Amino acid sequence: MVQHLVTAQRSFGIEEEVMLLDPETLAPVDVADEVIAELDGAPGDASVGWIGHEFLRAQVEFSSPVLADGDAAARVVGAFRAALAGAADRRGLVAASIGAPVGAGVSRVAEGDRYERFCDELGAIAADHRIMGLHVHVGVASREEGVVAMRGLRPWLAPLLALTANSPCFAGHDTGFASWRTIVGRRFTTASVPPDFLDAADYDERIRALVGLGTTLDLGSIAWMMRLAERYPTLELRLFDAQLRGGEAVAAALLSRALVDAAAAGLLPHAPAAARPELVDAAVWHAARHGLDDGLLHPETGELAPAWTVVERMLAHAAPALEASGDRALVDGAVARIRREGTGAERQRAALSEGDGALRRLLRTSFAA
């Protein structure tokens, strides 16, 4: 089966959004401009990626170069995190890779006409737009193949989200959700699970019709959990919260690549009922609420099943591509650690229950791990 899945390894890329926080209050601190200027001017290997601005002045975004394997991904993600952790520490701050900021306080919007227009369109919900994601780009041979992969992946987005949920807290409170970032993101004009498109022409026609409506300022504003990239030949998975550990971000990217392989080859099965729009969307909400603490919609039956049963089935479908790429041990190790220690959301919540000091230690030590 592997030979049908992988003829040449797909390239992939990683984008991480990180928040700079006050170590005592865990509120955002608007020093991204000076941190980016420092890191941009530091000597080093340009092949490790790009560091730049994001929507908020307390946010830093990392974009990796095009990657071919897990070792390269671990190297560039580790280099970025080490550099950012050092810059934060020199300012007495904490760099945190979390889906939503823990402490209260609002970061100002970064400069730029596009950000200002987006913020104006958000209106009263702009204050809640303090979210950080992990975006994974996976190479596709064509936009047609990308649409085929999207169709196969749609019912499996919920277990992917449950496994990587990492935003239980917001503005000083436990939200009760495993991924509050997902719930905030559902307020945008295009949000949550994308439609089931007929083909690439259908996809392109329908996204062009959305431009100018609400927060869809341009094609780059399409905010579905997965989309075809406009500048690169990739399928971009946008469902993930930013991950506590760099190794977890890398594992999520490698698992994404394997699942795109399976879906593009028609080897990621699901029952017709499980692909119904209302069920797919409800399954994502349920996963955002409960993470792995409750059942998940099983894509192959269209019914609730124990969460780890669904996750294990997803991993089984990814296994051939992971074996072919040499990534299986890394992904299996990351998943085993999550099973032992809990998701990022579970670890944050446990630390929060111990007190602010425990949460600060978790955020600081996890970022460099």
Side-chain angles (χ1 to χ4, degrees), residues 117 206-214 216-222:
R117 290 169 57 205
R206 290 166 70 177
I207 62 170
R208 284 194 297 269
L210 287 165
V211 174
L213 295 175
T216 312
L217 307 179
D218 47 37
L219 293 179
S221 304
I222 298 290

Side-chain angles (χ1 to χ4, degrees), residues 296-318:
L296 291 169
L297 186 77
H298 198 310
E300 294 180 56
T301 66
E303 298 177 353
L304 279 173
W308 276 105
T309 297
V310 180
V311 169
E312 287 167 358
R313 190 62 178 154
M314 177 177 68
L315 294 170
H317 290 308

Side-chain angles (χ1 to χ4, degrees), residues 1-11 138-141 145 148-149 153 255-269 314-325 328:
M1 184 164 77
V2 172
Q3 64 185 6
H4 299 297
L5 278 167
V6 182
T7 55
Q9 296 300 333
R10 295 179 188 273
S11 62
V138 180
V140 289
E145 183 185 57
V148 171
L153 279 167
L255 178 57
S256 297
R257 177 168 69 163
L259 291 172
V260 169
D261 256 328
L267 298 173
L268 197 57
M314 177 177 68
L315 294 170
H317 290 308
L322 291 172
E323 290 278 6
S325 64
R328 185 168 183 180

Side-chain angles (χ1 to χ4, degrees), residues 90-279:
R90 284 188 288 276
R91 290 163 176 81
L93 303 177
V94 174
S97 190
I98 46 179
V102 178
V106 178
S107 176
R108 292 173 296 155
V109 176
E111 291 184 359
D113 177 67
R114 187 168 181 272
Y115 287 151
E116 290 178 5
R117 290 169 57 205
F118 187 76
C119 190
D120 288 344
E121 192 64 37
L122 285 175
I125 63 176
D128 287 347
H129 189 58
R130 288 175 278 160
I131 54 178
M132 283 72 68
L134 164 70
H135 300 167
V136 178
H137 287 261
V138 180
V140 289
S142 64
R143 291 175 78 80
E144 208 68 62
E145 183 185 57
V147 169
V148 171
M150 288 174 69
R151 179 175 299 121
L153 279 167
R154 288 175 74 253
W156 295 92
L157 294 177
L160 261 180
L161 172 62
L163 185 66
T164 56
N166 187 38
S167 54
C169 305
F170 187 77
H173 301 286
D174 186 334
T175 66
F177 281 76
S179 177
W180 184 246
R181 169 184 169 272
T182 297
I183 301 305
V184 172
R186 288 168 73 95
R187 302 176 182 184
F188 302 155
T189 313
T190 54
S192 195
V193 182
D196 188 5
F197 299 101
L198 296 174
D199 51 29
D202 182 43
Y203 177 94
D204 288 332
E205 177 185 353
R206 290 166 70 177
I207 62 170
R208 284 194 297 269
L210 287 165
V211 174
L213 295 175
T215 57
T216 312
L217 307 179
D218 47 37
L219 293 179
S221 304
I222 298 290
W224 290 316
M225 287 183 153
M226 55 182 174
R227 68 183 185 186
L228 299 181
E230 296 302 315
R231 293 191 295 164
Y232 311 108
T234 63
L235 172 58
E236 182 184 4
L237 279 75
R238 303 167 54 84
L239 72 153
F240 304 109
D241 290 343
Q243 298 295 287
L244 276 176
R245 301 185 181 115
E248 290 166 340
V250 172
L254 296 174
L255 178 57
S256 297
R257 177 168 69 163
L259 291 172
V260 169
D261 256 328
L267 298 173
L268 197 57
H270 60 264
R276 291 173 181 164
E278 68 277 14
L279 268 182

Side-chain angles (χ1 to χ4, degrees), residues 6-36:
V6 182
T7 55
Q9 296 300 333
R10 295 179 188 273
S11 62
F12 66 102
I14 294 172
E15 297 176 1
E16 287 199 287
E17 297 168 352
V18 179
M19 185 73 83
L20 298 163
L21 303 177
D22 180 280
E24 296 302 320
T25 66
L26 298 179
V29 181
D30 289 353
V31 295
D33 285 352
E34 65 178 73
V35 168
I36 291 166

